Structure formats: C-alpha cells, structure tokens
Amino acid sequence: MEKIHIYHTNDVHSHLKSWPRARTFLQQRKQEHLDRGEACFIFDLGDFIDRADLYTEASLGRENMHLLEAAGYDAVTIGNNEGITLSKEALEALYKDVNFDVILSNLKNSDGSQPYWANPYKIYTTENGLKIGVLGATAPFYEYYEPLGWKIIEPIENMQKIAKEIEKKTDILVCLSHLGITADEQLANTIDSVDLIIGAHTHHVFENGKRVEQALLTGGGKFGTYIGHSTIEVESLSSANKKIDTELIKLDQLPHIEGETREVEALQLWGKEHLDVEVFKAGRYYNKEWKHDSHLARLFSKALLDYAQADCAFFNAGVFMTPLEKGSVTAYDLHQMLPHPINACLIEMTSEQLIQCLQEIQTHSEWPDIEVKGLGFRGRVLGKILQYDCQLVDGQLFVKGIKKELTDSIQVVTFDMFTFGWFFPELKDMKKKYLLPHFLRDILAIYGYKYFGK
C-alpha cells in the first residue's frame, strides 16, 4: 500500500495574515510524511497574488513567489490575477528561476509556442515508482490575454488531449484547475482517467470533496482560509484500485506562530517603503466623495478621457478610497486611493445605446449604496455613477455639448467591471477594447506626470 499526500492552497489573493501558520504547517507536514517514507506534494492553484496588496504591488508579485519557495511548494498553476493583471514581461519575470514547477497547458506565446517558464504537464515519480501525472489550466479570458501578447486556448479540449497523451504513462492523474466548479465537473465527465481535480477560481468550498464520475473534486474557498489535504492510497503498482479522500484544514485553528503578527506587518511595511516614490506633484487638494461629483472625480475623468481618447465617460464615485493631497504624490498614495486591479475599457456604441445606459443610471437610485464584492473592485460601496461629457436633456443626448442622433457612433470609456454583465448587461456584447496593461492608478499617474510634472 502506497499513500500519497497532496496539500494545496487556492485563491489566497495576497491575504497573508495567516501565512506564517500556513508555511510552518506545510513545512512540518511535508517533513513528517517524508520521514515516514510517504510521498508529499504541495500545489497552489493560482490567484496567490492580488495587486490590491502593498507587498504584492511593490514587487509585482515577485516577492510572493519567494514565500511559496520557502514553504516548499512543488508546483503551481496560474490564476487570472497572475495572468491578466500583469504585463507579459512582468508575468514572465514572476516565475523566472523559481524552484518549483509551473504547470499550465492552455497559455501560449502569441506564435503558439510554450512559455519557457511553464510546462503543459509534469509527471512525478515516487520512491516506489508510482507515476503521478499533473495537468494545469487557467480560465480563458480571451479579451484580456490576447492584447497582452498571449494566446489563450480553450482549456477543456486541451486538457482532454493531453490527458489522452499521458494516461498510459501514469498511474494517477491530477488536474490543477483554475477554471471554476462548472468546468471541473465537465473535466470529470469527459476525462475518464482523471482521479483528482483540485479546483479554484469560483472560491467554492468542499469540506470533503465532491464525487463526479470517477473523480474527486476539491475546493478550498478563498483568502487563505483553508489548506486542502488530499490523500491517494494505491494497493500496488499493478493495481487499479485507488482510495482518494480530501479534507480542509482551517488556518485560524492552527497553533499560533511566535512573531506572526510582526512578520505580516513587516511585509506591508516593506511594500509601503518600496512604493514611496514620487510620481507627480499636485497643485491643490482634491476631495473625494462617494455620493456625488468631486474635484478628484473631475480630475480623474480628464485623465481617463485623455488616456482612452474617448468622446465621453462614466464610472462610479466609490472607486476613490482616499482624497488626493496637495504636493508630492507617491506611488503609495495612488495605490491607497485606487487599489483596484481594474482596467479601463473603450466601448463603441450608438447614441441610442448610450441613452439606455444613462437612463439606467437614473433609474437605479439604490446603486450608490450597493456593497460590491469582486469584479476587481476593492472598495466598499459602488457610489454614484458619474458621467462626463455626456448628458440627457429632455431625452436628447448631448456629447461635449453637441446634440447626437440615435444612430451616431460614440466612443465611451468606462471600467471593465461594468462590462461583465452585472450592472449594464447590454455592455457585455458590445464592441469593446480593454486598455491594458494599465490599472486606474496608472492612468492617473500618467496624466499627473504629463500635466503637473514632478
């Protein structure tokens, strides 16, 4: 009887408060299993980083990789926070010379070649000769990856093809999936040889897994709340009988680690110090408001319109977390103000379609008080939807003071979070261009340097 232990984390999103406990636990467990002659692997399922965090932002996630290395991780796949919130160059630098494997089958260079820092699969061999095939895939955000210089491939068929290629070379097949629960179930239904699917992206929680066909699916929530522990028992190399179980270990129930609070605070201090770099000088104080227009919102609208070269703009006032102080403005100040991993989006629409959007803004009086979770938003409430250079007067649309006919084409810039179907469903299918790789804080930094200088 051979017993394999697999530990995993997923969707940590740079929530590092419990990281000292996680690292210590994983290091200790791995050593205990090795001392007993049992195979042990530690995997991360992606979205380990989140640029809303100071420590992550200061190094574009590179320092986070050192945390994984120190904890003894064997392999990772990437999530959308690694894949689409970094430029191509920054993503390549993220995994350069790391001491763990990056397993990723469905992200390619623009010419279709495999990135040098990733493998489409990996076969690990235990001391007793048991071969464990590991596949990895990430969610295919086509409209983001391609402008960044990547070619993203539909993951399900790709994983099916690779599984077919290697299933005869392996005794156990494991999928590292940053695809979400629906895709995980599809993988289990269509890949007969898969034994364990370690899931992420949709932040689902399976205390003891979920059986789908022959496979066991796992899910460890989000924000470093859990560590997943799966075991695979095999009677012998010649036996097809496998016993697979999984559990979730809650980090806040693990023993206190001496100095853990100071350690986590030191990471944030390191990030703050490295972001203490002047970007531009503001000539006045710009107040922020969540329920109505403000000096800061008007300044940002100019930056957004200039950056996108758009006709008009609309966005939510709740995006501003702090005001803009007079004088020196640092990268840290801008990060505190706009911590969100949100991009601008340029949408081509008709006057009639823009009128519909503006009418929806007027209709939904409850929107300013809505608490928003996800969509890249890292604030508290949505705030008032502000509009610039476009207005309705007696049902007629005016853009930059000029009356528009219903069929006129308008270039509108807003935030990508509004194109995902939640607030303005109609935007999802309109012709659009995500303006990558800059975040909102970068757009303000570019404008501030351009018009204010240092």
Side-chain angles (χ1 to χ4, degrees):
M1 176 74 73
E2 180 163 7
K3 191 171 187 179
I4 298 101
H5 296 268
I6 296 177
Y7 293 87
H8 87 267
T9 51
N10 64 273
D11 299 288
V12 172
H13 283 275
S14 295
H15 282 63
L16 301 174
K17 180 180 178 181
S18 299
W19 182 251
R21 296 189 191 193
R23 179 195 62 233
T24 302
F25 174 81
L26 292 170
Q27 290 171 334
Q28 291 175 346
R29 280 292 185 95
K30 191 167 194 175
Q31 190 59 54
E32 290 171 5
H33 296 312
L34 295 178
D35 289 344
R36 292 200 295 263
E38 298 173 338
C40 178
F41 300 94
I42 306 175
F43 300 135
D44 183 76
L45 275 294
D47 278 4
F48 186 73
I49 72 168
D50 190 315
R51 289 181 57 188
D53 174 71
L54 289 174
Y55 181 68
T56 304
E57 175 72 359
S59 67
L60 296 180
R62 180 63 184 173
E63 288 298 316
N64 303 63
M65 298 304 102
H66 297 327
L67 300 180
L68 294 174
E69 290 178 313
Y73 278 69
D74 295 283
V76 306
T77 196
I78 77 166
N80 42 286
N81 271 271
E82 287 86 10
I84 64 175
T85 71
L86 297 172
S87 68
K88 189 174 192 289
E89 295 75 18
L91 179 56
E92 291 177 334
L94 190 66
Y95 297 112
K96 185 178 181 181
D97 300 326
V98 293
N99 64 11
F100 51 78
D101 297 317
V102 181
I103 303 176
L104 181 60
S105 64
N106 68 320
L107 184 68
K108 309 295 181 182
N109 292 312
S110 56
D111 62 2
S113 62
Q114 183 73 19
Y116 74 89
W117 44 269
N119 300 298
Y121 67 88
K122 193 80 176 180
I123 298 177
Y124 297 96
T125 305
T126 69
E127 288 187 2
N128 295 326
L130 199 70
K131 295 188 181 298
I132 304 168
V134 182
L135 311 178
T138 194
F141 288 89
Y142 299 100
E143 292 176 305
Y144 282 82
Y145 277 111
E146 292 177 8
L148 287 169
W150 297 109
K151 181 179 181 181
I152 190 76
I153 298 173
E154 195 285 320
I156 304 294
E157 290 184 8
N158 189 55
M159 295 269 268
Q160 292 169 348
K161 179 182 177 182
I162 295 174
K164 204 72 176 173
E165 290 176 3
I166 69 171
E167 60 185 12
K168 293 182 179 179
K169 304 176 186 178
T170 62
D171 303 295
I172 297 168
L173 192 62
V174 177
C175 288
L176 307 183
S177 166
H178 196 92
L179 301 175
I181 181 58
T182 301
D184 291 353
E185 292 172 347
Q186 189 176 351
L187 288 171
N189 281 310
T190 56
I191 302 179
D192 295 336
S193 55
V194 67
D195 298 294
L196 178 66
I197 300 174
I198 309 177
H201 187 50
T202 44
H203 303 170
H204 50 284
V205 177
F206 292 154
E207 294 282 354
N208 298 111
K210 178 180 180 180
R211 300 278 176 181
V212 178
E213 297 295 335
Q214 78 294 333
L216 181 64
L217 279 57
T218 77
K222 62 180 179 179
F223 300 165
T225 303
Y226 300 100
I227 289 176
H229 175 216
S230 302
T231 58
I232 305 173
E233 294 181 87
V234 183
E235 289 184 5
S236 67
L237 287 176
S238 60
S239 173
N241 294 327
K242 304 165 191 172
K243 184 177 183 293
I244 306 176
D245 293 296
T246 192
E247 64 176 340
L248 292 178
I249 299 153
K250 205 163 187 181
L251 277 172
D252 64 8
Q253 295 178 359
L254 294 179
H256 172 79
I257 303 299
E258 184 177 355
E260 62 181 16
T261 302
R262 291 194 302 275
E263 179 180 342
V264 174
E265 288 175 349
L267 298 181
Q268 296 304 300
L269 181 60
W270 184 92
K272 181 178 179 180
E273 290 175 344
H274 281 76
L275 290 172
D276 188 21
V277 178
E278 185 178 285
V279 179
F280 62 86
K281 277 187 167 60
R284 55 159 295 169
Y285 171 81
Y286 292 86
N287 68 305
K288 63 97 178 168
E289 302 289 345
W290 289 347
K291 298 298 179 68
H292 51 80
D293 194 14
S294 67
H295 290 296
L296 179 56
R298 288 194 288 275
L299 173 67
F300 182 77
S301 72
K302 294 177 182 177
L304 191 60
L305 288 164
D306 182 75
Y307 178 78
Q309 291 297 292
D311 298 315
C312 57
F314 66 82
F315 56 85
N316 60 305
V319 75
F320 304 109
M321 303 309 297
T322 67
L324 184 67
E325 302 290 341
K326 180 180 179 179
S328 178
V329 178
T330 66
Y332 170 77
D333 296 327
L334 293 180
H335 186 273
Q336 293 298 103
M337 178 196 302
L338 295 163
H340 328 276
I342 289 176
N343 300 102
C345 182
L346 187 63
I347 307 174
E348 183 179 326
M349 62 177 78
T350 64
S351 294
E352 186 175 18
Q353 290 169 327
L354 179 55
I355 289 170
Q356 182 182 345
C357 291
L358 299 182
Q359 288 174 338
E360 287 182 46
I361 292 170
Q362 294 176 352
T363 301
H364 291 281
S365 58
E366 79 282 3
W367 277 4
D369 297 312
I370 289 179
E371 294 184 9
V372 181
K373 303 292 183 184
L375 307 178
F377 187 68
R378 300 295 185 262
R380 300 175 189 172
V381 296
L382 186 68
K384 181 179 174 61
I385 303 292
L386 306 170
Q387 54 201 61
Y388 294 93
D389 286 348
C390 58
Q391 60 178 331
L392 289 179
V393 180
D394 296 328
Q396 298 290 322
L397 176 66
F398 289 80
V399 175
K400 288 185 166 63
I402 300 173
K403 182 181 176 181
K404 295 292 181 179
E405 301 300 324
L406 292 179
T407 56
D408 287 348
S409 179
I410 312 292
Q411 297 291 320
V412 183
V413 63
T414 187
F415 298 161
D416 61 6
M417 62 180 280
F418 292 120
T419 69
F420 301 149
W422 288 91
F423 295 97
F424 302 94
E426 62 274 20
L427 299 186
K428 196 170 184 179
D429 297 321
M430 289 184 188
K431 184 178 179 180
K432 64 180 75 69
K433 180 182 180 182
Y434 293 108
L435 305 180
L436 308 171
H438 296 124
F439 285 161
L440 305 182
R441 54 183 173 270
D442 302 318
I443 292 171
L444 185 55
I446 292 167
Y447 184 84
Y449 183 79
K450 181 176 179 181
Y451 285 93
F452 298 130
K454 286 190 176 183

